[in-house]
Amino acid sequence: MDPAVTTARLASSIVIPLIKKLFVRDGPGAGMVDRPVRISGLVSFRGEKRTLSDKDLHKLAAELVRRAVDPVGPGERPVPPDEDETVALALARTLHCLGDLDMEDVQAVQLGPQALARALQAVEPNATRDLSADATGLYDALLETACLYILHFFTQRSTFVARTLVRHTATLAETVAKTDELLKRVPSRFTQDALFEARYAAHITHKYGMLMIYGIDLTNSPEQWPLDAAYLSLEAGFAREARHAPIRSEPASIRAEHAFHGRDRVLLRGEAGSGKTTLVQWMAVTAARQDRGLLNDGGAPLAPFVGRIPFVLPIRSLTRQDGELPTPEHFLSRIRSPLAGAQPQGWTDRVLAAGRGLILIDGIDETPEKVRERTRRWLQDLLGAYPGNLWLVTSRPSAVRGRWLAAEKFAELSLAPMSRSDVHAFIHRWHNAARSVTDDDEQRDLLDAYEASLGAAVRIKQDLARLATNPLMCGLICALHCDRRGYLPHARKELYEAALSMLLSRRDRERDMASPDGVELTEGPKIRLLQRLAYKFILNGKAELDRSHAERIIADTLPGVPVAAAQGDASTIFRHLLLRSGLLREPAVGSIDFIHRTFQDYLGAKAAVEEGDIALLVMRAAETQWEDVIRMAAAHARPQECAQFLLDIARRGDMALSPYRRNQFHLVAAAALEHATELEPRVREEISARTAALIPPKTYSEASDLAAIGAIALELLPGPAGLTDSQCLLTVQTAVLIGGDAAIPLLSEYRDHDYAPVRQLLASAWHRFDTGSYVEGVLAGLIEDDVYFEVTTHEELTALRTLRSRRRLRVSDGFTSADLSREVRPDSLTHLWLPGSLSPNWFWLSSFPHLHTLTLAPCQDPIDLSSLAAHPALRTVRLVVEQKTTGGEHVADRMEVVEVPARDLTW
């Protein structure tokens, strides 16, 4: 019979008492004393206090053998009877080796019975030397069974559990330490990614966390300021065709940084200097910092930035070599990031595949048209390969047509010109920053006076207000106003000339910097060199060039500027311009660009006019990269030269085969009119007659194109007489986009129009204007039937009290119930539209006894409406349910309104 079958019949009640005799009784506790407790210290047949002799050990082994063979019947013995004693002797000799084992009971249990048996046999390898094969089999089975019960006995000892936990804790700590050390030496892919992302986030924060506030304190101030202090939140309006414009269930505009609230793909348009790149920086730094306080304070609009990895991709850098646009793995190398070589292999792919990316593609307009189409195909491929990420593409308004990325589900937003309140906020912030860098009380007092006088000038002088429409121009105005002690130029050309003079000749002189590089150039030679460089940038269709290319351009120009050539070679002169002009910069090693595209266009236009390239300008007039060049060329040209230049552009439009191309030329000519220093009336009339064909606008795109001309278009826009409802709406939209006090007289003509969407637009647009002027000129006479007054600022809320009756009110985020109870007149309010997150309870609405319709905008959190049932007059609660397309695009005209009778609300 198989010995294993025989020994299997040994019951626990038989074996356990025998096994216990092998060991002494243990004491309480974990057995930690002064050294580990070994098995050899536990046996009962060694040491001074023996309880089991060698003879007793032999008897115990013999009893195990007897018990193992007794139950079986005749003929079934595993070994002959005369071998019982030999097996028992071998078993006893092996068990005696427990006293020689240098291991703890915890270690033995970890080994298991078979390994423990082998360990005992290794101590006494000759124990089975005299046994037959059958006897050896019985011996092996009995030894393994004994070891099984020995280990079972160990686990029942009072000290075992406690010591096992201690041992496991120490082992776990040791394992963790070794694992950490191993990860440091050979980190996992997840660890590599996490470590790199922390490093990358710090790099993004450092690189984009500073902004230039132009011209602050030219004598002793830093050139850059923390993004948090310098960033000015601007508004962006939704680009929508006329058929989508009449009734909106979302505000007319949003804060630009909230662009990803309810949408994940955005095409953002904005004029030069409007803040597109600044917004890109803000988004990148916000995502990199993962500042939970900021993201929580921002609420739902900023929630999309949580967990995002930003990629700032200026198109000019991606297309520098005119090669193929990069795949994700080459994003960092193409923009020459210093971390390009440190990123883990495949990291960008893993980030985008997981939908964690924030891809910020800046400056589509800074590439030629042929490259833009290639860029769109590249973008389409990325969108198909990596769904779920956030995508922002920025461009000047006319660089790409309307709905350029509509097939890819991009929502289109346009940065609005700075409102009057934005301008004053910027002026205050600029002067605040200037005050922060001086300890001179007299200088602080001067800055206070400058701030007050500039604020008054912007309110009073219309020509100055027309210039102060974006952060760049506001910065220039502040700097020049301070620099010239309150004197300001009135035209854009004069403003740029003054800014260049401030940078090129007065900046170093007022800082007492005497040619640190040994080169001394006056303003004239510097402008000559820089305008040639700018013109080459424009001719090459580039906003960024390799440094070697820029040096070659300077080398070609130096012979015509002898005062510069006498002071050094092209490399020396170029380095002087880079370091001392304030107009050039090196965003990445080996790449050169102008600090702002506006200066490049201004200087390039001056070079084109001086070199007599008027015909070239006419030929390029419809190219979006040349728009500002054309306008500045009109400013630089002599009167007769300017007249012929503008007429040639208009007549080239007459010969265009497509209406779109014809309109482009005519609008460019009209836009350049306001920059002409002197112009014959007949020229102005001839060009205006062509533009009049676009009046009134027929589509939202035409309205945007007209608004791009500027305030001059207001002279062409008609009143409501003889226009259809759609034409009236688009005319008002054009005037709103232009903005400024000059638009108020025209808008006032539409305030009693029968078509409700026209009046709704007027009631929604006052945030683009000076609040007091707009209330007095437009809102005071507005027929308010079936339109909501949209309130976005506390100033607007306060202004409402001056109006006699305002029955319908729509309130944006940023207000409390106390604000509304205090500022809104309770005797007239019948309709109220609120953000769903405004208040946890609604008892405060009892302050408005005539309120009968309440609308709640989308809110991610559940809203408890039960307290509304107590309102005495409330009849209807409207819940707005926001819907999205599969691509995540926010579609305003697809918002569903669910009406609930107030009587059905549970009290």
Side-chain angles (χ1 to χ4, degrees):
M1 177 177 286
D2 186 352
V5 176
T6 302
T7 57
R9 297 183 181 183
L10 289 171
S12 299
S13 60
I14 296 171
V15 182
I16 288 177
L18 297 175
I19 294 301
K20 283 185 176 182
K21 292 180 180 182
L22 294 173
F23 302 100
V24 296
R25 185 182 299 275
D26 63 330
M32 295 298 295
V33 290
D34 59 344
R35 69 179 188 275
V37 177
R38 307 291 181 182
I39 294 176
S40 58
L42 298 175
V43 296
S44 58
F45 45 81
R46 288 188 59 181
E48 297 178 0
K49 298 181 180 181
R50 295 187 179 188
T51 59
L52 187 68
S53 66
D54 291 344
K55 184 178 179 181
D56 293 333
L57 181 59
H58 284 81
K59 287 181 180 181
L60 185 152
E63 181 64 17
L64 280 174
V65 174
R66 186 183 68 80
R67 295 280 186 172
V69 299
D70 270 359
V72 297
E76 295 181 343
R77 259 184 164 274
V79 294
D82 59 345
E83 288 196 75
D84 288 354
E85 180 62 26
T86 308
V87 173
L89 180 61
L91 183 60
R93 290 175 64 184
T94 304
L95 291 175
H96 192 274
C97 294
L98 287 168
D100 299 319
L101 285 181
D102 187 23
M103 75 171 62
E104 302 173 52
D105 54 353
V106 175
Q107 291 175 318
V109 172
Q110 291 175 338
L111 286 176
Q114 293 178 343
L116 178 60
R118 288 194 298 271
L120 290 171
Q121 288 174 317
V123 178
E124 183 56 61
N126 297 322
T128 59
R129 181 179 55 186
D130 299 328
L131 298 182
S132 65
D134 290 339
T136 300
L138 177 61
Y139 160 85
D140 289 339
L142 286 173
L143 180 60
E144 188 171 326
T145 300
C147 286
L148 174 65
Y149 283 101
I150 287 171
L151 299 184
H152 178 67
F153 169 73
F154 285 164
T155 62
Q156 291 182 317
R157 295 175 63 243
S158 62
T159 62
F160 180 82
V161 174
R163 287 201 309 113
T164 301
L165 292 176
V166 172
R167 176 67 180 271
H168 283 181
T169 301
T171 302
L172 181 61
E174 182 181 1
T175 302
V176 170
K178 290 180 177 178
T179 302
D180 287 344
E181 183 63 27
L182 181 63
L183 289 176
K184 289 180 182 179
R185 296 180 182 179
V186 188
S188 67
R189 176 174 293 176
F190 176 82
T191 304
Q192 285 181 312
D193 286 357
L195 292 174
F196 178 75
E197 285 173 16
R199 186 180 175 192
Y200 178 70
H203 167 68
I204 291 293
T205 302
H206 173 75
K207 181 173 183 178
Y208 299 110
M210 302 293 287
L211 287 180
M212 177 180 289
I213 302 183
Y214 200 88
I216 289 181
D217 190 5
L218 298 175
T219 59
N220 60 9
S221 70
E223 295 181 350
Q224 292 183 313
W225 299 84
L227 182 71
D228 296 336
Y231 177 70
L232 178 68
S233 175
L234 297 176
E235 293 179 346
F238 292 95
R240 193 173 296 129
E241 294 297 331
R243 63 179 180 275
H244 292 149
I247 300 176
R248 295 188 315 277
S249 48
E250 65 179 357
S253 64
I254 59 173
R255 306 313 296 182
E257 59 268 25
H258 296 171
F260 288 117
H261 180 43
R263 56 196 71 84
D264 55 17
R265 300 176 183 180
V266 176
L267 172 61
L268 181 72
R269 301 173 187 267
E271 297 289 350
S274 62
K276 300 186 296 296
T277 300
T278 300
L279 177 65
V280 165
Q281 288 187 228
W282 185 91
M283 288 183 170
V285 171
T286 299
R289 284 177 176 170
Q290 289 297 295
D291 185 340
R292 299 289 174 171
L294 172 64
L295 297 179
N296 290 337
D297 288 345
L302 298 185
F305 291 102
V306 175
R308 298 289 179 176
I309 305 297
F311 297 91
V312 180
L313 305 176
I315 283 293
R316 62 178 179 270
S317 297
L318 300 186
T319 59
R320 184 187 299 112
Q321 304 300 329
D322 286 330
E324 291 298 321
L325 288 155
T327 56
E329 65 187 81
H330 296 119
F331 279 175
L332 299 190
S333 60
R334 187 64 68 89
I335 63 173
R336 297 186 178 179
S337 169
L339 298 184
Q343 63 177 327
Q345 186 175 5
W347 169 73
T348 311
D349 174 73
R350 289 190 291 277
V351 169
L352 298 185
R356 298 170 53 223
L358 170 62
I359 300 89
L360 305 166
I361 302 172
D362 188 28
I364 288 290
D365 55 282
E366 296 182 351
T367 59
E369 290 189 24
K370 61 179 181 180
V371 178
R372 289 176 207 159
E373 187 55 37
R374 193 170 69 201
T375 301
R376 179 163 64 174
R377 293 195 298 270
W378 168 75
L379 184 57
Q380 289 171 336
D381 290 341
L382 288 176
L383 292 167
Y386 298 106
N389 296 284
L390 299 183
W391 303 81
L392 178 75
V393 178
T394 73
S395 173
R396 290 194 188 185
S398 55
V400 293
R401 294 189 181 189
R403 301 178 61 80
W404 188 63
L405 291 173
E408 286 71 45
K409 310 298 184 184
F410 272 73
E412 292 195 13
L413 292 172
S414 295
L415 278 175
M418 292 172 69
S419 66
R420 188 65 63 89
S421 60
D422 289 334
V423 171
H424 287 286
F426 186 97
I427 292 172
H428 176 69
R429 184 169 296 184
W430 191 96
H431 287 85
N432 236 10
R435 283 188 287 264
S436 69
V437 297
T438 180
D439 296 325
D440 187 338
D441 291 338
E442 184 178 352
Q443 183 69 18
R444 288 174 180 269
D445 291 341
L446 279 175
L447 287 168
D448 290 342
Y450 290 153
E451 179 181 350
S453 65
L454 181 57
V458 169
R459 282 192 297 269
I460 296 170
K461 298 181 180 179
Q462 182 61 31
D463 55 346
L464 184 59
R466 286 173 55 189
L467 288 176
T469 58
N470 62 56
L472 174 68
M473 298 304 295
C474 281
L476 282 176
I477 289 169
C478 290
L480 289 170
H481 183 263
C482 180
D483 183 57
R484 296 187 166 204
R485 300 183 180 277
Y487 167 75
L488 280 174
H490 296 289
R492 181 169 296 190
K493 176 176 178 286
E494 295 175 8
L495 186 66
Y496 290 152
E497 287 175 346
L500 289 172
S501 176
M502 179 177 65
L503 287 170
L504 296 177
S505 62
R506 302 183 60 184
R507 188 168 182 255
D508 282 350
R509 184 171 67 246
E510 294 182 0
R511 291 184 176 187
D512 296 325
M513 298 186 68
S515 59
D517 54 6
V519 177
E520 292 188 5
L521 293 177
T522 59
E523 182 179 335
K526 286 181 182 178
I527 287 182
R528 176 65 180 165
L529 293 167
L530 287 167
Q531 71 185 37
R532 183 63 185 170
L533 188 62
Y535 193 34
K536 285 295 185 179
F537 269 67
I538 296 168
L539 288 174
N540 281 279
K542 298 284 188 180
E544 189 174 300
L545 288 179
D546 287 340
R547 180 168 181 156
S548 59
H549 190 180
E551 289 182 354
R552 288 197 301 272
I553 295 171
I554 295 297
D556 293 340
T557 311
L558 273 180
V561 190
V563 68
Q567 299 189 54
D569 59 11
S571 177
T572 301
I573 300 301
F574 175 79
R575 188 171 185 275
H576 174 77
L577 295 174
L578 176 63
L579 297 179
R580 307 308 324 151
S581 72
L583 289 178
L584 297 176
R585 63 177 182 174
E586 192 170 17
V589 177
S591 295
I592 303 299
D593 66 1
F594 280 79
I595 61 168
H596 201 280
R597 177 74 175 274
T598 297
F599 291 115
Q600 175 184 309
D601 291 345
Y602 174 86
L603 290 169
K606 190 171 188 296
V609 171
E610 290 182 0
E611 294 181 22
D613 287 348
I614 298 298
L616 174 64
L617 293 175
V618 172
M619 186 171 62
R620 297 291 187 92
E623 297 182 23
T624 54
Q625 279 189 293
W626 290 70
E627 279 186 358
D628 277 359
V629 179
I630 300 300
R631 299 183 192 196
M632 289 297 98
H636 286 297
R638 295 184 293 269
Q640 290 299 322
E641 191 176 38
C642 179
Q644 191 59 49
F645 172 49
L646 295 181
L647 287 174
D648 286 347
I649 294 175
R651 291 163 184 170
R652 186 174 176 84
D654 296 341
M655 296 184 293
L657 298 179
S658 70
Y660 174 78
R661 203 68 168 173
R662 181 174 62 251
N663 293 342
Q664 270 190 306
F665 280 103
H666 290 167
L667 288 173
V668 167
L673 281 176
E674 64 173 318
H675 298 282
T677 305
E678 180 183 337
L679 199 64
E680 295 180 26
R682 66 171 183 86
V683 177
R684 187 179 299 274
E685 291 170 2
E686 189 171 339
I687 293 175
S688 296
R690 289 171 169 82
T691 313
L694 302 174
I695 308 297
K698 295 176 284 298
T699 66
Y700 185 86
S701 295
E702 286 188 9
S704 298
D705 291 342
L706 274 174
I709 298 177
I712 193 172
L714 292 171
E715 302 174 11
L716 305 174
L717 292 175
L723 302 184
T724 65
D725 290 343
S726 178
Q727 289 173 334
C728 287
L729 182 62
L730 288 167
T731 301
V732 170
Q733 182 71 66
T734 304
V736 166
L737 290 174
I738 294 171
D741 288 349
I744 291 179
L746 175 66
L747 294 177
S748 66
E749 297 182 42
Y750 288 84
R751 59 190 178 183
D752 58 354
H753 198 277
D754 293 336
Y755 191 39
V758 170
R759 288 180 284 110
Q760 180 61 67
L761 180 56
L762 293 174
S764 305
W766 61 334
H767 58 282
R768 295 179 180 268
F769 300 85
D770 175 68
T771 301
S773 300
Y774 196 76
V775 168
E776 180 180 352
V778 179
L779 297 185
L782 183 70
I783 296 178
E784 61 179 289
D785 295 341
D786 60 21
V787 300
Y788 279 86
F789 285 83
E790 295 187 1
V791 177
T792 59
T793 68
H794 286 272
E795 183 182 12
E796 293 171 354
L797 187 62
T798 301
L800 275 178
R801 294 190 65 86
T802 64
L803 302 176
R804 289 177 300 173
S805 174
R806 287 297 170 256
R807 296 192 295 270
R808 295 172 181 252
L809 180 64
R810 177 170 181 170
V811 180
S812 67
D813 287 317
F815 297 97
T816 66
S817 56
D819 294 332
L820 300 180
S821 299
R822 181 178 62 254
E823 299 292 348
V824 179
R825 296 178 60 170
D827 54 346
S828 59
L829 186 67
T830 59
H831 294 70
L832 183 60
W833 192 320
L834 298 172
S837 57
L838 177 66
S839 176
N841 63 70
W842 305 98
F843 294 106
W844 61 277
L845 289 176
S846 60
S847 303
F848 306 103
H850 302 292
L851 177 66
H852 60 71
T853 300
L854 176 66
T855 303
L856 299 179
C859 179
Q860 294 183 350
D861 300 324
I863 305 175
D864 181 7
L865 301 178
S866 58
S867 59
L868 290 175
H871 195 284
L874 191 63
R875 298 197 301 266
T876 303
V877 177
R878 303 166 72 238
L879 302 178
V880 181
V881 181
E882 183 177 10
Q883 296 181 345
K884 303 175 184 177
T885 66
T886 55
E889 181 185 1
H890 184 77
V891 183
D893 57 336
R894 284 189 170 182
M895 297 183 81
E896 177 185 355
V897 177
V898 180
E899 294 194 0
V900 181
R903 63 178 179 272
D904 292 344
L905 298 173
T906 303
W907 171 242

